[in-house]
Amino acid sequence: MNGHISNGVSKETKIVVNSPNVSNDGNKLESRFLYRKNHFEHRDGQLHVTPKEHEYVFRTELKPKKTGLLLVGLGGNNGSTAVGSIYANQHNMNWRTKEGALKANYFGSVTQSATVHLGWDGEKQIHVPFKDIVPILSPSDLIISGWDINNANLYQAMVRAKVFEPELQEKLRTYMEGIVPLPSVYYPDFIAANQGDRANNVIPGKNKSAHLEHIRKDIREFKEKHDLECVIVLWTANTERYTDVRSGLNSTSAEVLNSIKNNEEEISPSNLFAVASILEGAHYINGSPQNTLVPGIIQLASEHGVFVGGDDFKSGQTKFKSALVDFLVSSGLKPESIVSYNHLGNNDGKNLSEARQFRSKEISKSSVVDDMVQSNPILYPDGKNPDHCIVIKYVPFVADSKRAMDEYICSIFMGGRQTFVVHNTCEDSLLASPLIYDLAILTELASRVSYSSTSSGTFEKFHPVLSLLSLLLKAPVVPAGTPVSNAFMRQFSALTKLVTTLRGISSDTDMQIEFFTQLPHKKF
């Protein structure tokens, strides 16, 4: 799946930044940035705030790398939808429905369909496409392959998924029928027993070291076949149960590698794929809720200079929750009870119908309000979270069209109550697939960015735990000691401010104080 490498600037918007703090030699872009940060001391019962400035230099390679994306779970609903959608966009496909004609697009992708506010030009607000700020890939540029425990070709998988309209399925048949997933790793203890009848495409044997080498060989051959500069492995397969995290098993990189060598039961399939990716210099992203990124795997990624990210796509109900609860708490309203009910009929729902796999999902979905509660000690003086209940039921008839129903009860002014009841019908894979693209595209961008924060001018890469992906994930994995942010607009702002900073564009424009002050004409 190889298209033209995007230059990052659309026909409509070519951005030129006129600033002494920006340089562009045609190969790399450098921008100097003053990061204004408050430093704090708690002393004598007072909060002492000291604003300080920290100077960074960001260097971004302008040309996106030729990038391959390997999906674990290629034959699932998300995998077949993500691949089919790229072909539909590459070939400008359209199709008929009873509501009318539709055409391919990348709606739902932040990198492809969102805009960023840059300011006011005197006549109108200036919003530019995210994709035009710095050069990034298009999903149509990605070369995709991957693994699956089921051997159905992607046309069969697409029909089975019931995501696309029949006319679109037939238009895609020529492109999808020849794609058959590579054999994958199948350890029955980690996923639901009801998945056993799908497992007809598995790497033979039970030796985990042999399985690791098999996956590594698949990655090497994929990279060599397509002459790739960047490879990203992304897990979009079944939710696994949580694995144990303990000393001697996976708390260091050496322990993880030794546990694989010793065929330890608690090494999961996703652990193996993560380790194989890292050892082959490929970045790894966990799109499901299980705890793949144990401390030893994060340490291994650091040692090999690759990125890891996770956990669990934030696509429908939880994304809405992360925006709504942020709005409520920021408005001074106190959510007291949040009850979230889901039913869905795709294979994800079938797998989650068993308790251990559901527990992984419950953990990732329930933590989404934590930072919002912690942000407001006026509403939550004891730090106690709202009552938060999550239910997921498997109803085959609704297929990929997930029903999500939420009730939010808030304490309001003078002992009052406000209740929101929300019904959300989510086309599950049509919401998740754009996140797959964004996770890959932002990871590739991060691989081209280096920064210097010292007078020596030494440049280094971002931390191996790629927390800038948090906007797209339910339970973001962040570097040790880093606070987790789940509030949607805070995450969106952090990401867009980083990208505008790389381009050398001011990120303070949302204040727009010129509307209620006289704008100074000279720099202080």
Side-chain angles (χ1 to χ4, degrees):
M1 194 170 302
N2 190 4
H4 173 66
I5 294 294
S6 166
N7 66 7
V9 179
S10 71
K11 293 179 181 178
E12 295 79 17
T13 311
K14 182 174 177 61
I15 299 171
V16 178
V17 179
N18 299 309
S19 169
N21 295 318
V22 179
S23 64
N24 184 343
D25 65 5
N27 294 313
K28 63 180 181 294
L29 176 72
E30 280 196 4
S31 71
R32 293 186 175 273
F33 175 64
L34 277 181
Y35 181 47
R36 296 175 175 87
K37 174 178 169 56
N38 294 321
H39 293 251
F40 305 97
E41 282 186 88
H42 299 271
R43 195 169 66 240
D44 303 324
Q46 297 176 316
L47 177 64
H48 293 254
V49 183
T50 307
K52 293 185 179 180
E53 291 184 341
H54 305 270
E55 185 174 6
Y56 284 87
V57 178
F58 289 97
R59 180 180 291 169
T60 306
E61 297 172 23
L62 288 172
K63 184 181 178 182
K65 299 174 182 177
K66 188 177 181 183
T67 299
L69 176 61
L70 285 165
L71 299 178
V72 190
L74 179 65
N77 286 27
N78 289 345
S80 59
T81 301
V83 173
S85 300
I86 288 178
Y87 281 120
N89 277 275
Q90 285 179 336
H91 297 280
N92 298 310
M93 290 183 184
N94 54 69
W95 59 97
R96 293 165 299 167
T97 72
K98 62 184 180 182
E99 285 84 21
L102 299 175
K103 62 180 181 179
N105 60 56
Y106 284 128
F107 292 174
S109 162
V110 170
T111 65
Q112 305 304 303
S113 298
T115 61
V116 178
H117 179 239
L118 299 188
W120 171 258
D121 73 353
E123 295 181 358
K124 60 183 181 298
Q125 298 284 5
I126 299 299
H127 295 85
V128 299
F130 184 106
K131 62 184 178 181
D132 290 349
I133 297 172
V134 292
I136 60 172
L137 292 166
S138 161
S140 296
D141 299 326
L142 297 170
I143 299 167
I144 301 185
S145 184
W147 305 266
D148 201 279
I149 62 172
N150 185 261
N151 68 357
N153 67 54
L154 287 204
Y155 170 72
Q156 295 168 329
M158 176 177 60
V159 171
R160 179 179 62 199
K162 301 179 183 177
V163 174
F164 292 144
E165 295 284 349
E167 183 177 332
L168 178 57
Q169 292 178 16
E170 291 311 307
K171 288 190 173 187
L172 288 169
R173 183 171 190 161
T174 302
Y175 306 99
M176 302 284 278
E177 211 162 27
I179 304 174
V180 178
L182 297 165
S184 192
V185 175
Y186 175 58
Y187 301 153
D189 182 52
F190 282 91
I191 59 176
N194 58 34
Q195 299 298 301
D197 59 352
R198 292 172 64 95
N200 62 3
N201 193 43
V202 301
I203 302 171
K206 297 182 178 180
N207 186 293
K208 295 187 177 182
S209 291
H211 291 170
L212 176 67
E213 291 307 313
H214 189 114
I215 299 165
R216 292 185 64 179
K217 182 172 179 288
D218 287 341
I219 296 170
R220 283 196 303 272
E221 289 178 349
F222 175 67
K223 185 174 184 179
E224 292 165 4
K225 177 181 178 181
H226 299 286
D227 192 25
L228 299 171
E229 302 167 278
C230 176
V231 175
I232 298 162
V233 176
L234 186 147
W235 180 280
T236 181
N238 280 320
T239 295
E240 297 175 335
R241 66 165 175 83
Y242 262 41
T243 189
D244 289 347
V245 179
R246 63 174 187 266
S247 179
L249 175 69
N250 50 21
S251 60
T252 69
S253 57
E255 287 177 2
V256 169
L257 295 175
N258 196 52
S259 293
I260 294 171
K261 182 179 177 181
N262 292 336
N263 225 37
E264 290 283 354
E265 287 293 326
E266 280 300 302
I267 294 295
S268 68
S270 63
N271 289 156
L272 279 184
F273 277 101
V275 171
S277 305
I278 293 165
L279 295 179
E280 292 301 322
H283 311 296
Y284 184 83
I285 300 167
N286 177 36
S288 289
Q290 69 269 357
N291 60 337
T292 303
L293 300 178
V294 295
I297 286 178
I298 291 174
Q299 183 182 22
L300 189 69
S302 180
E303 292 166 356
H304 286 263
V306 302
F307 293 125
V308 292
D311 294 320
D312 202 7
F313 303 136
K314 184 162 72 172
S315 57
Q317 182 185 56
T318 308
K319 179 181 285 187
F320 181 83
K321 186 182 296 182
S322 73
L324 179 60
V325 175
D326 186 27
F327 149 70
L328 293 170
V329 173
S330 298
S331 300
L333 305 175
K334 183 182 181 181
E336 300 274 18
S337 169
I338 304 171
V339 179
S340 297
Y341 167 87
N342 306 254
H343 67 260
L344 68 163
N346 60 19
N347 194 57
D348 183 40
K350 185 177 181 181
N351 181 61
L352 291 174
S353 64
E354 289 201 3
R356 294 185 302 169
Q357 288 69 38
F358 167 71
R359 181 57 182 155
S360 297
K361 177 68 75 172
E362 183 180 36
I363 291 170
S364 75
K365 287 173 78 74
S366 63
S367 62
V368 74
V369 302
D370 290 357
D371 62 308
M372 299 164 222
V373 170
Q374 293 160 11
S375 74
N376 197 322
I378 298 172
L379 298 179
Y380 300 97
D382 57 1
K384 179 183 177 297
N385 278 19
D387 293 340
H388 196 176
C389 177
I390 296 161
V391 179
I392 301 176
K393 294 297 182 182
Y394 176 52
V395 181
F397 180 77
V398 302
D400 204 62
S401 186
K402 179 169 71 174
R403 271 62 168 174
M405 287 161 273
D406 297 84
E407 180 190 72
Y408 300 82
I409 305 175
C410 299
S411 289
I412 62 171
F413 184 57
M414 297 298 290
R417 293 282 187 268
Q418 184 175 23
T419 300
F420 299 83
V421 178
V422 181
H423 183 281
N424 178 3
T425 300
C426 312
E427 301 284 351
D428 214 27
S429 297
L430 295 178
L431 292 173
S433 293
L435 304 188
I436 290 174
Y437 306 145
D438 285 346
L439 288 163
I441 289 165
L442 291 172
T443 300
E444 188 281 329
L445 171 61
S447 76
R448 290 184 279 121
V449 177
S450 56
Y451 74 94
S452 174
S453 58
T454 65
S455 57
S456 67
T458 301
F459 282 80
E460 55 188 300
K461 291 292 188 180
F462 291 147
H463 192 281
V465 177
L466 205 53
S467 54
L468 66 87
L469 303 177
S470 294
L471 174 68
L472 309 164
L473 298 161
K474 283 189 182 77
V477 178
V478 299
T482 302
V484 175
S485 174
N486 283 294
F488 182 81
M489 289 312 299
R490 196 179 309 155
Q491 292 174 329
F492 182 79
S493 178
L495 177 60
T496 56
K497 285 184 177 181
L498 173 63
V499 174
T500 52
T501 294
L502 297 181
R503 192 68 181 85
I505 298 171
S506 172
S507 61
D508 297 329
T509 54
D510 282 343
M511 289 179 66
Q512 296 200 325
I513 60 174
E514 68 267 33
F515 293 154
F516 52 89
T517 67
Q518 185 174 341
L519 190 66
H521 296 289
K522 293 183 180 179
K523 182 179 178 182
F524 289 106

